[in-house]
Amino acid sequence: LPARFDWRDKAVVAPVQNQQACGSCWAFSVVGAMQSVHAIDGSQLAQLSVQQVLDCSFQNEGCNGGSPLRALNWLKQTKVKLVSQSEYPYKAKTGICHFFSQSHGGVALKNFTTHYFSGQEEAMKGQLVEHGPLAAIVDAVSWQDYLGGIIQHHCSSQRSNHAVLVVGYDTTGDIPYWIVQNSWGTTWGNEGYVYIKIGGNICGIADSVAAVFL
Amino acid sequence: EAHSEEYNLRHLHFQNATKRHAYLNAFSTAPQSAKYGINQFSDLSQKEFRDLYLRASADRAPLFPGLKRTETER
């Protein structure tokens, strides 16, 4: 594996989004993974509709919260095609699901894997390089005060409450770290990104990690 | 408005935030280490922040079948 790998260098990661005052991180992480893998597979990088997942993934609760796994199961079972963000824009509140005809263009999820990588973050790096950006859940309580740098302490695992997108890693410095895209806008953290030390399952980054297949 | 109830509440949240920052920043002085401080969430209480932004739930995922399982894991 390379010492440093970042899918942003390959122009397959969409810009940082802002979920605003809506608990929709779970939808942002899943859609972020799908639009990146769609671009890695050779399509033009296009932003897909988070609002469609928010409104239509009925096992989840829209702005009141949800689970990336339940959203992925819904996408896989229904074979719903995610339409572009411009067709079904984000409103930061839960709305009525809009349905589209089967002939309507969009991106469908074929399959996904999800694993617990604690103690195996080296293998998680391999998954990232092999399958593209990964949807992960974390404990982000201390992120309320985060300004930047590499998180190494006081961030528990096994108490996940937030969903993010792992887009890369960098092990060239003294502290190896994951490069993680958040959905709180570009004014938070490192222009919308957070760096988490690799090893020790900091913030629970390795608790439940999903790769998507289109 | 200054000294309105809302103002005093937000001011209290700010004060609590600065105490948290001192605690969080005390752990490591390594240059690359995370820094904590005033940002757009500093006037929210921890409960407000959690209720607004930390709404993801976790489903248990199977252990990645990479490494040989130790006896205990088996």
Side-chain angles (χ1 to χ4, degrees):
Chain A
L1 290 172
R4 182 185 181 283
F5 189 88
D6 189 339
W7 280 109
R8 294 178 297 181
D9 297 341
K10 296 166 179 24
V12 295
V13 178
V16 171
Q17 307 281 298
N18 191 335
Q19 65 189 72
Q20 299 166 59
C22 164
S24 50
C25 57
W26 54 276
F28 278 96
S29 68
V30 164
V31 172
M34 285 181 68
Q35 55 198 28
S36 283
V37 170
H38 192 229
I40 292 166
D41 290 349
S43 303
Q44 184 75 23
L45 177 59
Q47 291 194 240
L48 300 173
S49 174
V50 172
Q51 193 68 37
Q52 186 177 8
V53 177
L54 200 65
D55 293 345
C56 307
S57 173
F58 51 87
Q59 298 101 328
N60 287 304
E61 294 160 52
C63 281
N64 287 328
S67 133
L69 241 50
R70 287 200 293 271
L72 289 167
N73 266 316
W74 167 73
L75 284 162
K76 181 182 173 184
Q77 284 158 16
T78 61
K79 296 183 177 48
V80 158
K81 291 181 198 169
L82 288 190
V83 300
S84 66
Q85 177 103 295
S86 53
E87 279 184 284
Y88 198 158
Y90 184 65
K91 301 192 295 283
K93 58 178 186 285
T94 316
I96 306 291
C97 177
H98 304 185
F99 291 91
F100 296 85
S101 69
Q102 198 49 30
S103 59
H104 194 97
V107 179
L109 179 73
K110 198 175 286 175
N111 202 355
F112 70 94
T113 60
T114 177
H115 286 110
Y116 174 73
F117 280 99
S118 186
Q120 299 186 80
E121 289 179 59
E122 195 63 23
M124 186 172 150
K125 284 161 62 179
Q127 289 274 298
L128 175 84
V129 173
E130 191 175 349
H131 299 310
L134 304 167
I137 53 167
V138 290
D139 170 11
V141 166
S142 66
W143 296 15
Q144 175 174 2
D145 304 301
Y146 177 76
L147 294 179
I150 303 170
I151 296 180
Q152 306 176 68
H153 307 291
H154 36 255
C155 203
S156 73
S157 62
Q158 309 288 322
R159 276 190 307 180
S160 303
N161 45 48
H162 187 46
V164 290
L165 185 69
V166 183
V167 299
Y169 63 80
D170 187 332
T171 63
T172 58
D174 298 339
I175 309 169
Y177 60 91
W178 294 109
I179 302 168
V180 178
Q181 186 185 69
N182 199 358
S183 50
W184 294 346
T186 52
T187 59
W188 178 85
N190 311 282
E191 296 173 351
Y193 285 81
V194 53
Y195 303 144
I196 299 175
K197 181 185 174 186
I198 294 177
N201 192 12
I202 306 291
C203 304
I205 188 74
D207 277 347
S208 176
V209 181
V212 301
F213 305 91
L214 306 180
Chain B
E1 266 172 44
H3 309 302
S4 66
E5 191 176 331
E6 176 71 9
Y7 174 93
N8 293 333
L9 180 67
R10 295 297 153 203
H11 190 245
L12 176 64
H13 292 332
F14 244 89
Q15 288 173 322
N16 291 338
T18 52
K19 288 174 196 155
R20 282 200 309 272
H21 304 157
Y23 167 72
L24 292 167
N25 285 323
F27 266 71
S28 172
T29 53
Q32 286 183 298
S33 203
K35 299 292 177 286
Y36 300 87
I38 298 292
N39 64 18
Q40 64 264 52
F41 300 132
S42 296
D43 66 348
L44 297 177
S45 70
Q46 285 192 289
K47 182 178 184 323
E48 283 173 323
F49 176 74
R50 183 192 300 270
D51 290 349
L52 273 174
Y53 294 98
L54 305 185
R55 305 296 298 240
S57 47
D59 302 272
R60 286 191 71 78
L63 182 70
F64 183 69
L67 298 183
K68 290 275 169 290
R69 289 173 185 241
T70 62
E71 199 52 43
T72 45
E73 268 160 355
R74 248 197 293 278

